[in-house]
């Protein structure tokens, strides 16, 4: 069975770093699924069935964390004892707060634009570019053992990720309204 004490990188036998081999993770995941899937334990004892479900859940969580850049970055920080304190630490630099306000205003005004879909596409491209910049900044800070900067980058990236989801939802609503 699995060693639940291993971190996700150890579990998937990959180096503990931001850049990962996505195809290797996928292959390992498929191998785990074949080995651990609860269907393989249908005729086993209740304990073995329960362990299979727990192992599958653990592998799924590890896979989903390693597969997604932001989750992986957050996990790397946690492995290094860095707490994001997103609930209690709401301090950000003034420039980032201003950027948040501008993005929020753009999102709120999207439906009033002459071409809301084009405006949304432009805003989406802007967010994608910012997220890409944050990925690079995180990688550089993390590889330099600058956990304070890496933490700050991830906190900003979390905002951008949430904003992107909200923008996507707004675009779907607009498309539905235009379709009629």
């Amino acid at each position: 069975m699995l060693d639940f004490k291993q971190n996700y990188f150890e579990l998937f036998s990959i180096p503990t770093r931001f850049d990962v081999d996505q195809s290797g993770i996928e292959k390992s995941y498929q191998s785990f699924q074949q080995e651990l899937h609860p269907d393989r334990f249908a005729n086993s004892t209740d304990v073995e069935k329960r362990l299979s479900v727990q192992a599958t859940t653990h592998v799924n969580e590890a896979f989903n964390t390693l597969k997604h850049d932001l989750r992986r970055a957050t996990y790397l920080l946690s492995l290094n004892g860095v707490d994001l304190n997103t609930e209690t630490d709401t301090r950000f630099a003034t420039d980032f707060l201003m950027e948040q306000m501008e993005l929020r205003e753009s999102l709120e005004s999207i439906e009033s634009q002459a071409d809301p879909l084009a405006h949304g596409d432009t805003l989406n491209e802007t967010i994608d570019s910012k997220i890409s910049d944050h990925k690079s900044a995180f990688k550089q800070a993390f590889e330099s053992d600058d956990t304070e900067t890496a933490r700050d980058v991830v906190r900003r990236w979390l905002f951008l990720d949430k904003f992107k989801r909200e923008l996507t939802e707004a675009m779907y609503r607009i498309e539905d309204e235009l379709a009629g």
Side-chain angles (χ1 to χ4, degrees):
M1 217 27 117
L2 279 184
D3 179 357
F4 289 96
K5 294 177 184 171
Q6 289 181 314
N7 72 45
Y8 297 162
F9 294 91
E10 293 167 342
L11 181 65
F12 278 76
S13 301
I14 60 174
T16 305
R17 62 177 187 230
F18 182 67
D19 286 336
V20 294
D21 174 14
Q22 291 290 340
S23 64
I25 291 172
E26 187 77 36
K27 287 176 188 172
S28 293
Y29 177 71
Q30 290 170 356
S31 176
F32 277 127
Q33 289 301 318
Q34 290 174 352
E35 179 186 338
L36 301 170
H37 197 278
D39 289 348
R40 293 198 62 215
F41 295 86
N43 297 324
S44 300
T45 67
D46 287 344
V47 171
E48 290 170 323
K49 289 177 188 176
R50 190 170 40 256
L51 282 173
S52 169
V53 169
Q54 290 173 342
T56 300
T57 300
H58 186 68
V59 166
N60 287 341
E61 185 178 321
F63 175 70
N64 287 322
T65 298
L66 295 175
K67 182 177 160 188
H68 296 96
D69 293 334
L70 181 54
R71 291 180 194 169
R72 188 171 57 255
T74 303
Y75 184 69
L76 281 165
L77 288 175
S78 73
L79 288 177
N80 284 277
V82 177
D83 185 3
L84 295 176
N85 296 326
T86 55
E87 303 291 319
T88 57
D89 186 358
T90 57
R91 294 171 291 145
F92 283 103
T94 305
D95 65 324
F96 185 68
L97 293 174
M98 293 301 293
E99 179 184 29
Q100 284 182 5
M101 287 175 36
E102 290 170 9
L103 288 171
R104 289 269 167 230
E105 288 171 4
S106 292
L107 182 59
E108 289 171 9
S109 70
I110 196 170
E111 292 182 40
S112 66
Q113 300 297 314
D115 187 348
L117 293 177
H119 182 74
D121 287 342
T122 301
L123 191 52
N124 194 45
E125 289 172 12
T126 299
I127 297 302
D128 285 345
S129 175
K130 289 178 182 296
I131 288 173
S132 179
D133 291 346
H134 280 70
K135 285 179 193 180
S136 297
F138 173 81
K139 179 183 173 188
Q140 181 179 9
F142 187 78
E143 288 177 356
S144 301
D145 292 324
D146 183 356
T147 55
E148 189 59 36
T149 299
R151 176 184 180 273
D152 185 53
V153 168
V154 166
R155 291 181 69 234
R156 292 172 184 236
W157 186 358
L158 285 165
F159 166 78
L160 293 170
D161 185 68
K162 180 180 178 192
F163 183 86
K164 183 167 176 69
R165 288 191 311 270
E166 291 171 4
L167 175 60
T168 299
E169 289 171 14
M171 295 295 288
Y172 283 140
R173 272 194 317 275
I174 292 167
E175 287 172 353
D176 286 347
E177 289 171 11
L178 291 174

